[in-house]
Amino acid sequence: MKTIVVGLDASPRAPDVLRSAFTLAQRFEAKMYVVRVATLPPEIPVEAMSPTADLPARLLEITQRGLDSAIANVPAEWLLGSEARLGTPWQVLCEIATEKAADLL
């Protein structure tokens, strides 16, 4: 096993998920690619999505900041990278797992 894609959210379980993935990475000498996905709820009014609103960019910025904070204590040598994306979590995680040729998701 060389690559583990780790999906984190904002739940209280996220630190435990990251710890478990880190334990696996150490055990198998694998690298982690940590992902957090922000979802735009379908009930957001179309006006909020106007080019001047910049809601998607702001949401991505907040999500990336939360992800950076979550992985701040992970030694860099165990990280392949990290990324915040907009989308449906399961779809984004599957896309990234394919892109990174992950052995484990």
Side-chain angles (χ1 to χ4, degrees), residues 24-78:
L24 282 171
Q26 289 175 309
R27 182 173 294 148
F28 293 100
E29 297 182 7
K31 300 274 186 175
M32 297 184 302
Y33 193 83
V34 187
V35 181
R36 188 161 170 202
V37 181
T39 303
L40 289 171
E43 37 309 313
I44 290 181
V46 173
E47 301 80 38
M49 299 299 292
S50 71
T52 57
D54 209 14
L55 180 62
R58 180 77 176 120
L59 187 55
L60 262 179
E61 176 187 315
I62 292 166
T63 302
Q64 185 66 52
R65 201 172 29 231
L67 178 57
D68 292 343
S69 176
I71 65 171
N73 294 322
V74 176
E77 63 268 17
W78 294 100

Side-chain angles (χ1 to χ4, degrees), residues 8-19 36 70:
L8 296 182
D9 59 14
S11 76
R13 295 182 314 260
D16 293 331
V17 170
L18 184 58
R19 263 191 299 281
R36 188 161 170 202

Side-chain angles (χ1 to χ4, degrees), residues 65-100:
R65 201 172 29 231
L67 178 57
D68 292 343
S69 176
I71 65 171
N73 294 322
V74 176
E77 63 268 17
W78 294 100
L79 289 172
L80 184 60
S82 67
E83 180 177 0
R85 283 195 193 177
L86 287 177
T88 304
W90 72 266
Q91 286 178 318
V92 171
L93 289 170
C94 288
E95 288 169 6
I96 291 176
T98 299
E99 290 169 14
K100 303 297 177 190

